[in-house]
Structures are given as C-alpha cells and as structure tokens.
Amino acid sequence: MKYKNGHFYIEKVSASKIAKKYSTPTYVYSFEKIVNNIKKFKTNFKKINPIICFSVKSNANLDILKIIKTHNIGADVVSKGEMMMALKAGIDVKKIVFSGVGKTSNEIDYAIKKNILLINAESEDEIINIEKIARKNKKKVSIGIRLNPDIDARTINKISTGKKENKFGVDINTFKKIIRSYKNSKFLEFNCLSVHIGSQITSHQPYRIMLNVIQKCLNECNHKFRFIDLGGGMGIQYTKNDNLLNYKKYSSMIQKFLKKNKVKIIFEPGRSIIGNTAIILTKVTYIKKSGRKIFIILDTAMNDFIRPALYGSIHRILPYKISKNKIIKKHEFVGPICETTDKFLETSSFQKLTNGDLMIICDVGAYGMVLSSNYNLRPASPEILVKGLKTIVIKKRQKITDLI
Ligand code: LLP
C-alpha cells in the first residue's frame, strides 16, 4: 500500500478505482501484505518452530481465515461462532485452542465433540464444568490452564490482561491447586500452561518477566506439560512514535526457556498478522470551520471502526491524492454519529481538502470489522481483498433494508 505519482494504491489498484466500484466507506485488504506478515512472523520464530494459532477475534472474515489456513496456521477462538468459522475455513481441529473466561456449557460441549487441541480454562469453576461435560461425553479432554502472571504489559490499560486485577486466568497458587486436585482425573488431561498478558506490546521486557513467572510456576508445580501457550500481543507500528517489538530478543529468550523445558510453544497472534493489512476508504462529506478548528466530517464513523473512540488509539489518516497546499490549523476528523467520541484523529495541519475527497484510514485490519456495529442504524461496510490487479468482495455491504 503506497503512493504512486501522488495517488494511493493498494497493490496494483488505485484507491479511487475501488471507491468508484464499491463506493465508500469500505474496508480494503492487501493479499500480499497478509502473506508477507505470515512469512515474517514464521521467520522471526523459526528457531522455536511454534504452533501458530491466529487469534480469530482480531479478524473473523472467512476468506481471510482461508488465506491464513493455507499457511498451516491454526486458530485461537473465544466463542462457538469463532470455532465454527475457523472450521468452515478448513482450519485443522488439532490446531484450534479455545480461550475465554466465560465459556458456556454448550460451547464446551461443542469443543469437546470436535476434539480440538486445547480448551484453555480460566477458573476452577470452569474446570469443574469441563470435567462434568467430558464425563458425559465419555472423553478425556485436553486442557490448558491460563496463568495470570500478575505483570504489567505496559500497553493501553484497557487492553492489559496479565495483572491480578484483570479477570483473566488464575494466580500461581490456584494454578498449583488445580493441578494437584485434578491430577488423577479420568476426564481431564492437563497438557498446557497458557498466558496472554495484553495486546499491542512493543517492548520485550514484559515478555521476559512473563517467562520468568512461567518458569517459577513450572518449577513449583512439578507437572509435565506438552505445550506452553504464550498467547499473542505483539504490537505493530501505528505511528512513527510506536516502538517495534524486538523479535530477536523475544525469540532468544524463548530459546533459552526451551533449553530448560522440553515443550512445544504455541502463539496466538492477531494484530501482528492482520493489523497493517487493511485500510478504510472514506469520503469527506462536509467541511465545517468552527472557531480555531476545522472539522472534516467523513462518511465513515465509530460504528465502522471503534478503536479511536474506545481506546483513544491513533490511526493515521491520509489523502488519496497528495497536494502541496497545506493548511496550518487544527483539523478534527470525525464521523456523522451523534456522539462526541465519534472522532478519528486530531492534527495540527493537513493539506487543503474539499467535499468528496477520498481519504484513507490506516492499519484497520485487526479489531476493525469485528468490532463494528449498526449504531445509528448504519449498515455494515463491505470488505474487499486486493490481489495484484484483482479486487474480490470478501464481505458484501449490508443493505439498509436488512436492518429495517
Ligand atoms: N490470545 C488471547 C487469549 C487474547 O485475549 C488475545 C487478544 C490474543 C491472543 C490476540 O492478541 P493480539 O496478538 O491481537 O494482540 N480490541 C483491542 C485488543 C483486544 C485484545 C484482546 N485479546 C484493540 O483493538 O486494541
């Protein structure tokens, strides 16, 4: 995705061609970028040879999952819906892990019947329920227990998951107690210790502490696990100010860990695979000058993409066509929804814009479409995949009549 002669292209197709064909707002993905990210991720952890389970919560589009599947990647799912979608995409059941603090009996039963790789349990209560359902199914179920390592992932507070005040996983003492109490269960096989400390992590330091806590837990528990599931969380560069995770350091820390522990590593990446593979194409509906500010009112809104409104996250906004005519004044890019938080970005200057101009919101591939809604009764945007010169509709635009 780059500018050619001052115009924005997704692979070999100009953004304006896509907007003309499919209208706006529209999610647009680059096939090449997805494949490159997968290859990069595999290269970064080559020496570890992990099982990679793509975190479906970050992007659940069937065609995207099919691309991921062709690279021998599994799925990390958190609901029956995600499990069914992963299976529909052809993902191998023996590469599916099921996480989440509130799996219902119906979801657990489904996972047991499908014989997935692991159900990563997050409480003693859940273990009791899984054992009950396993007994009913007369099956020995492969279980992971999620450890809450009580560490700060130094990411946005709202997406941190590894502190003791977060609802996720169990503390070391409970972890050990569960292993002790259910060691001889005929229906549970404790194969995995899992963790996930947060998302958009850009420093290897929290991972270092995480590995130390895991080691401590393993030393104290005296139980042989087949897998250590390290979750996902690897951050991406949304702006130049974001640091990039040092994969070399993270990988070498894990290699050291593997020298002491003969286990298979599982990763559950979402954002690092899909985050920077998509943009939203949007048009300027109106421009409103108000005091010292210029409001740029777009035809996309927080219902299409909620990350800025929900987490205050920053996503670059670019013009389709570059011009040199710069206006030094505060610009606020907003949507049409009747909420003050329906705001994408503030900048201190921008090139001169006019109504109808085509714009690009960057890096929306992860936690974009999956978090969209019909708020204000706005129909969902379509998803388009670009592959060289080809554009493929991977999700149709929802019709207003479907909502009424
Ligand atoms: N595994 C587990 C158990 C998770 O809870 C998550 C994300 C992942 C893996 C994938 O993490 P990733 O590699 O994508 O960082 N909506 C928020 C992010 C929420 C993350 C939830 N868990 C956002 O837009 O930033």
Side-chain angles (χ1 to χ4, degrees), residues 276-335:
N276 64 3
T277 67
I279 53 142
I280 290 174
L281 275 184
T282 173
K283 270 191 189 142
V284 175
T285 308
Y286 297 116
I287 295 175
K288 175 157 129 176
K289 293 182 183 126
S290 168
R292 291 203 197 140
K293 253 192 220 173
I294 303 178
F295 287 104
I296 310 293
I297 303 166
L298 301 172
D299 67 359
T300 187
M302 65 192 278
N303 74 299
D304 292 310
F305 187 61
I306 205 173
R307 293 197 78 248
L310 195 57
Y311 311 114
S313 34
I314 295 179
H315 287 257
R316 287 171 303 142
I317 296 188
L318 307 172
Y320 159 64
K321 193 171 158 191
I322 295 178
S323 91
K324 287 195 181 121
N325 197 347
K326 193 166 167 181
I327 297 185
I328 306 196
K329 205 168 190 185
K330 195 168 177 186
H331 286 64
E332 210 170 294
F333 290 88
V334 299

Side-chain angles (χ1 to χ4, degrees), residues 53-58 76-78 99-100 120 122 146 156 158-159 161 168 194-201 207 229-235 238 267-274 305-307 310-311 313 315 366-368 370-371:
C53 297
F54 175 69
S55 196
V56 177
K57 69 170 79 67
S58 67
D76 154 47
V77 300
V78 289
S99 322
N120 283 337
E122 305 221 15
R146 180 162 171 182
I156 321 168
K158 285 184 178 141
I159 55 175
T161 51
F168 304 98
S194 82
V195 284
H196 172 78
I197 57 172
S199 200
Q200 185 52 17
I201 297 171
Y207 286 127
D229 179 346
L230 297 176
M234 300 83 171
Y238 286 106
F267 283 125
E268 302 171 353
R271 193 188 314 264
S272 50
I273 301 288
I274 205 72
F305 187 61
I306 205 173
R307 293 197 78 248
L310 195 57
Y311 311 114
S313 34
H315 287 257
Y367 309 105
V370 282
L371 272 162

Side-chain angles (χ1 to χ4, degrees), residues 22 25 53 67 105 141 160 176 234 279 334:
Y22 302 104
C53 297
I67 298 171
S105 300
V141 178
S160 176
K176 289 191 290 190
M234 300 83 171
I279 53 142
V334 299

Side-chain angles (χ1 to χ4, degrees), residues 10 20 24 29 31 65 118 123 177 206 222-223 266 283 291 297 316 358 382:
I10 299 97
K20 272 191 201 122
T24 57
Y29 296 81
F31 175 80
L65 295 182
L118 286 166
S123 64
K177 187 178 152 224
N222 193 24
H223 177 83
I266 299 174
K283 270 191 189 142
I297 303 166
R316 287 171 303 142
L358 188 58

